[in-house]
Amino acid sequence: QVSLQESGGGSVQSGGSLRLSCAVSGYTYSRYCMGWVRQIPGKKSDEGVATVDSEGITRYGDSVKGRFTISHDSSKNAVYLQMNSLKPEDTGMYYCAAGPYSRDCLNEYYSGRFSTWGQGTQVTVSS
């Protein structure tokens, strides 16, 4: 059974940094998409933050480009999201998610094909 478990959320002031971790277990596919998705208060839909595929290709949502970095350590079965220069509008619940391999994992997420999700971790950025 596939399981994703997030950690590393918390509260930080604007301009600060946080690093989210996602522990992956039971995922046996050799090719895959992994990513971070967030739910922002007051917004109707989720937002794809960043994705990484099994070949190491990364993609980012426009609102986080240049500030967030996604990485994957296959030896530790973990996915990370380094978040720098955080803004109050980054406040939300962040989820680790996984789906089938695609050349464009961010598009794969928006196509609704990320089928495995973690429980989420809260990120709060104060001004």
Side-chain angles (χ1 to χ4, degrees):
Q1 183 175 354
V2 179
S3 174
L4 305 177
Q5 181 63 57
E6 304 93 339
S7 62
S11 296
V12 66
Q13 288 191 328
S14 181
S17 298
L18 282 173
R19 187 191 193 213
L20 305 183
S21 298
C22 174
V24 182
S25 62
Y27 207 84
T28 60
Y29 299 105
S30 60
R31 305 184 81 196
Y32 48 79
C33 285
M34 301 289 293
W36 291 92
V37 177
R38 66 187 181 185
Q39 287 182 339
I40 303 294
K43 289 194 175 182
K44 290 183 179 180
S45 57
D46 301 341
E47 178 184 359
V49 175
T51 61
V52 59
D53 67 28
S54 46
E55 298 181 4
I57 302 299
T58 58
R59 295 188 185 272
Y60 297 91
D62 289 341
S63 64
V64 305
K65 284 180 180 176
R67 300 188 298 125
F68 291 10
T69 302
I70 189 171
S71 61
H72 179 222
D73 187 337
S74 57
S75 67
K76 297 182 178 179
N77 290 327
V79 180
Y80 306 100
L81 184 68
Q82 178 66 42
M83 305 186 294
N84 297 329
S85 301
L86 282 161
K87 304 175 181 180
E89 52 263 43
D90 293 317
T91 294
M93 186 69 76
Y94 284 68
Y95 297 89
C96 181
Y101 173 78
S102 168
R103 288 187 176 184
D104 186 341
C105 288
L106 198 58
N107 184 64
E108 193 75 3
Y109 155 70
Y110 279 113
S111 298
R113 288 190 280 271
F114 272 37
S115 57
T116 304
W117 294 68
Q119 295 298 310
T121 185
Q122 177 68 35
V123 171
T124 302
V125 185
S126 58
S127 58

